[in-house]
Short mmCIF file of all heavy atoms in Angstrom, two decimals:
data_model
loop_
_atom_site.label_atom_id
_atom_site.label_comp_id
_atom_site.label_asym_id
_atom_site.label_seq_id
_atom_site.Cartn_x
_atom_site.Cartn_y
_atom_site.Cartn_z
N LYS A 89 -1.19 14.31 -4.99
CA LYS A 89 -0.64 15.60 -5.37
C LYS A 89 0.85 15.44 -5.58
O LYS A 89 1.52 14.75 -4.82
CB LYS A 89 -0.91 16.63 -4.27
CG LYS A 89 -0.35 18.01 -4.52
CD LYS A 89 -0.63 18.93 -3.33
CE LYS A 89 0.01 20.30 -3.52
NZ LYS A 89 -0.21 21.17 -2.33
N SER A 90 1.38 16.09 -6.63
CA SER A 90 2.80 15.90 -6.91
C SER A 90 3.44 17.18 -7.40
O SER A 90 2.95 17.81 -8.35
CB SER A 90 2.99 14.80 -7.95
OG SER A 90 4.36 14.66 -8.29
N GLU A 91 4.53 17.56 -6.74
CA GLU A 91 5.40 18.63 -7.18
C GLU A 91 6.83 18.08 -7.09
O GLU A 91 7.05 17.04 -6.45
CB GLU A 91 5.23 19.86 -6.29
CG GLU A 91 3.84 20.48 -6.38
CD GLU A 91 3.65 21.65 -5.43
OE1 GLU A 91 4.64 22.04 -4.78
OE2 GLU A 91 2.52 22.15 -5.35
N PRO A 92 7.80 18.74 -7.68
CA PRO A 92 9.16 18.16 -7.70
C PRO A 92 9.70 17.78 -6.33
O PRO A 92 10.29 16.71 -6.18
CB PRO A 92 9.99 19.28 -8.35
CG PRO A 92 9.03 19.97 -9.25
CD PRO A 92 7.72 19.95 -8.52
N THR A 93 9.49 18.63 -5.32
CA THR A 93 10.07 18.35 -4.00
C THR A 93 9.01 18.04 -2.94
O THR A 93 9.33 17.95 -1.76
CB THR A 93 10.93 19.53 -3.51
OG1 THR A 93 10.11 20.70 -3.44
CG2 THR A 93 12.10 19.77 -4.45
N GLU A 94 7.78 17.86 -3.33
CA GLU A 94 6.73 17.54 -2.35
C GLU A 94 5.62 16.75 -3.02
O GLU A 94 5.25 17.02 -4.17
CB GLU A 94 6.17 18.83 -1.74
CG GLU A 94 5.18 18.57 -0.61
CD GLU A 94 4.81 19.84 0.14
OE1 GLU A 94 5.47 20.88 -0.06
OE2 GLU A 94 3.86 19.77 0.96
N LEU A 95 5.10 15.77 -2.29
CA LEU A 95 3.96 15.02 -2.82
C LEU A 95 3.08 14.54 -1.67
O LEU A 95 3.51 14.46 -0.51
CB LEU A 95 4.42 13.84 -3.68
CG LEU A 95 5.31 12.74 -3.10
CD1 LEU A 95 4.53 11.79 -2.21
CD2 LEU A 95 5.95 11.94 -4.23
N THR A 96 1.86 14.22 -2.02
CA THR A 96 0.90 13.63 -1.09
C THR A 96 0.37 12.35 -1.71
O THR A 96 0.02 12.35 -2.90
CB THR A 96 -0.26 14.58 -0.78
OG1 THR A 96 0.26 15.81 -0.26
CG2 THR A 96 -1.21 13.96 0.24
N ALA A 97 0.35 11.27 -0.95
CA ALA A 97 -0.07 9.98 -1.48
C ALA A 97 -1.05 9.31 -0.51
O ALA A 97 -1.03 9.58 0.69
CB ALA A 97 1.13 9.07 -1.69
N LEU A 98 -1.89 8.46 -1.05
CA LEU A 98 -2.78 7.63 -0.24
C LEU A 98 -2.10 6.28 -0.02
O LEU A 98 -1.70 5.62 -0.98
CB LEU A 98 -4.12 7.43 -0.94
CG LEU A 98 -5.13 6.55 -0.19
CD1 LEU A 98 -5.64 7.25 1.06
CD2 LEU A 98 -6.30 6.18 -1.11
N VAL A 99 -1.97 5.89 1.24
CA VAL A 99 -1.34 4.61 1.57
C VAL A 99 -2.24 3.83 2.51
O VAL A 99 -3.13 4.38 3.15
CB VAL A 99 0.06 4.81 2.23
CG1 VAL A 99 1.01 5.51 1.26
CG2 VAL A 99 -0.06 5.60 3.53
N ARG A 100 -1.99 2.51 2.58
CA ARG A 100 -2.73 1.64 3.50
C ARG A 100 -1.73 0.85 4.32
O ARG A 100 -0.79 0.26 3.79
CB ARG A 100 -3.65 0.68 2.74
CG ARG A 100 -4.50 -0.19 3.67
CD ARG A 100 -5.41 -1.14 2.93
NE ARG A 100 -4.64 -2.10 2.16
CZ ARG A 100 -4.71 -2.21 0.84
NH1 ARG A 100 -5.49 -1.42 0.15
NH2 ARG A 100 -3.98 -3.11 0.19
N ALA A 101 -1.94 0.85 5.65
CA ALA A 101 -1.08 0.07 6.54
C ALA A 101 -1.43 -1.40 6.41
O ALA A 101 -2.60 -1.79 6.50
CB ALA A 101 -1.25 0.54 7.97
N ARG A 102 -0.43 -2.22 6.18
CA ARG A 102 -0.67 -3.64 5.93
C ARG A 102 -1.18 -4.38 7.16
O ARG A 102 -1.99 -5.30 7.05
CB ARG A 102 0.62 -4.29 5.44
CG ARG A 102 1.08 -3.79 4.08
CD ARG A 102 2.46 -4.33 3.72
NE ARG A 102 2.85 -3.96 2.37
CZ ARG A 102 4.04 -4.23 1.83
NH1 ARG A 102 4.95 -4.88 2.57
NH2 ARG A 102 4.32 -3.88 0.60
N GLU A 103 -0.71 -4.02 8.33
CA GLU A 103 -1.07 -4.76 9.53
C GLU A 103 -2.45 -4.37 10.05
O GLU A 103 -3.19 -5.21 10.57
CB GLU A 103 -0.02 -4.52 10.63
CG GLU A 103 -0.17 -5.40 11.85
CD GLU A 103 0.10 -6.87 11.54
OE1 GLU A 103 1.09 -7.18 10.86
OE2 GLU A 103 -0.71 -7.70 11.98
N THR A 104 -2.80 -3.09 9.93
CA THR A 104 -4.04 -2.60 10.53
C THR A 104 -5.14 -2.33 9.52
O THR A 104 -6.30 -2.15 9.89
CB THR A 104 -3.78 -1.30 11.30
OG1 THR A 104 -3.37 -0.28 10.37
CG2 THR A 104 -2.71 -1.50 12.36
N ASP A 105 -4.80 -2.27 8.23
CA ASP A 105 -5.75 -1.94 7.17
C ASP A 105 -6.28 -0.51 7.31
O ASP A 105 -7.34 -0.18 6.78
CB ASP A 105 -6.91 -2.94 7.13
CG ASP A 105 -7.54 -3.01 5.74
OD1 ASP A 105 -6.80 -2.91 4.75
OD2 ASP A 105 -8.77 -3.15 5.64
N ASN A 106 -5.55 0.34 8.04
CA ASN A 106 -5.92 1.76 8.13
C ASN A 106 -5.39 2.50 6.90
O ASN A 106 -4.34 2.17 6.37
CB ASN A 106 -5.34 2.40 9.39
CG ASN A 106 -6.05 1.93 10.64
OD1 ASN A 106 -7.23 1.61 10.61
ND2 ASN A 106 -5.33 1.88 11.75
N TYR A 107 -6.12 3.54 6.51
CA TYR A 107 -5.71 4.37 5.38
C TYR A 107 -5.15 5.69 5.91
O TYR A 107 -5.56 6.19 6.96
CB TYR A 107 -6.90 4.64 4.46
CG TYR A 107 -7.41 3.41 3.76
CD1 TYR A 107 -8.29 2.54 4.39
CD2 TYR A 107 -6.98 3.09 2.48
CE1 TYR A 107 -8.75 1.39 3.76
CE2 TYR A 107 -7.44 1.94 1.83
CZ TYR A 107 -8.32 1.10 2.48
OH TYR A 107 -8.76 -0.03 1.85
N ALA A 108 -4.20 6.25 5.17
CA ALA A 108 -3.60 7.51 5.60
C ALA A 108 -3.13 8.31 4.39
O ALA A 108 -2.80 7.74 3.34
CB ALA A 108 -2.42 7.25 6.53
N GLU A 109 -3.13 9.63 4.55
CA GLU A 109 -2.51 10.51 3.57
C GLU A 109 -1.07 10.73 4.01
O GLU A 109 -0.83 11.21 5.12
CB GLU A 109 -3.26 11.84 3.46
CG GLU A 109 -4.57 11.73 2.73
CD GLU A 109 -5.19 13.09 2.45
OE1 GLU A 109 -4.54 14.12 2.75
OE2 GLU A 109 -6.32 13.13 1.94
N LEU A 110 -0.15 10.37 3.15
CA LEU A 110 1.28 10.53 3.43
C LEU A 110 1.77 11.78 2.70
O LEU A 110 1.57 11.92 1.49
CB LEU A 110 2.05 9.30 2.96
CG LEU A 110 3.57 9.29 3.15
CD1 LEU A 110 4.05 7.86 3.33
CD2 LEU A 110 4.31 9.95 1.98
N THR A 111 2.38 12.69 3.45
CA THR A 111 2.95 13.90 2.86
C THR A 111 4.46 13.85 3.00
O THR A 111 4.97 13.67 4.11
CB THR A 111 2.40 15.17 3.54
OG1 THR A 111 0.97 15.19 3.43
CG2 THR A 111 2.98 16.41 2.90
#
Side-chain angles (χ1 to χ4, degrees):
K89 178 183 176 182
S90 177
E91 296 176 6
T93 60
E94 186 170 349
L95 60 76
T96 303
L98 179 70
V99 298
R100 184 180 63 241
R102 293 173 175 176
E103 189 67 46
T104 64
D105 205 36
N106 288 330
Y107 294 83
E109 286 189 5
L110 179 151
T111 301

